[in-house]
Amino acid sequence: MSDDNPSPGENPLEMLRAMLAHTPQAKAIGADITRMEPPRVWGRTPYREDLVGDPETGVIAGGVITTFLDHISGAAVFSSLKEASSVATIDLRIDYMRAATPHKDVLAEAHCYKLGRNVAFVRAIAYDETPDDPVAQASAAFMINSNGRRRMGSNLRKPKP
């Protein structure tokens, strides 16, 4: 395979990081995968002024937290698969518990706790200090092999002119 379409047999953490880096919305919020121990994945979204929802408080917008939890949850599913496959969100529920602390990065942990043949289930939490004081928690379901004709890593290819 070419560098534009990495093989899932390569370093799995680097593959996840590359997929996130090439997904426009994840790239826009600066989301990154920091650790992977299947079926768990950890990540970070750095604090930036352009991600703030309320300039008076400096708190990161809730949509940024939702995007981050969605992507890290999908990464947890991907890390759990024996063979690379596309993964698409079917359902995502977010419970916001408090505002993220201004000027602090948002961290998250996602756990794929049930992997079926076609659907996977994930729980995730976002926090800024410790997982014991969450900013938000998510529960999600993902379709596996959501587009059987599309090759793994196809989002990493350069668009045709």
Side-chain angles (χ1 to χ4, degrees):
M1 289 190 157
S2 73
D3 289 340
D4 293 331
N5 193 8
S7 163
E10 297 173 1
N11 181 326
L13 177 59
E14 292 306 316
M15 176 97 176
L16 279 177
R17 296 178 92 186
M19 290 171 62
L20 226 60
H22 287 84
T23 303
Q25 199 169 16
K27 184 178 179 180
I29 65 168
D32 189 20
I33 302 294
T34 57
R35 190 169 123 205
M36 182 178 99
E37 294 176 22
R40 295 181 188 272
V41 171
W42 290 261
R44 179 178 75 93
T45 291
Y47 182 87
R48 293 191 333 236
E49 294 293 331
D50 65 321
L51 300 180
V52 168
D54 180 354
E56 274 190 36
T57 63
V59 172
I60 288 181
V64 172
I65 306 295
T66 298
T67 297
F68 183 35
L69 287 172
D70 186 16
H71 280 89
I72 198 165
S73 294
V77 173
F78 186 82
S79 78
S80 302
L81 299 173
K82 290 182 180 170
E83 294 181 17
S85 177
S86 59
V87 173
T89 308
I90 298 172
D91 184 51
L92 177 68
R93 176 191 163 91
I94 307 278
D95 293 316
Y96 291 95
M97 302 173 153
R98 65 174 178 85
T101 305
H103 307 287
K104 288 205 169 224
D105 295 348
V106 177
L107 309 171
E109 176 183 351
H111 176 214
C112 179
Y113 64 93
K114 173 69 176 169
L115 183 64
R117 186 167 40 172
N118 299 311
V119 179
F121 299 90
V122 178
R123 292 186 190 108
I125 56 171
Y127 55 96
D128 47 31
E129 288 288 334
T130 71
D132 298 335
D133 187 21
V135 169
Q137 70 177 15
S139 59
F142 290 84
M143 180 185 305
I144 301 167
N145 197 16
S146 60
N147 186 348
R149 296 184 341 190
R150 194 168 157 198
R151 292 183 53 200
M152 199 59 227
S154 61
N155 65 328
L156 303 178
R157 287 188 219 129
K158 294 178 182 170
K160 294 180 181 175

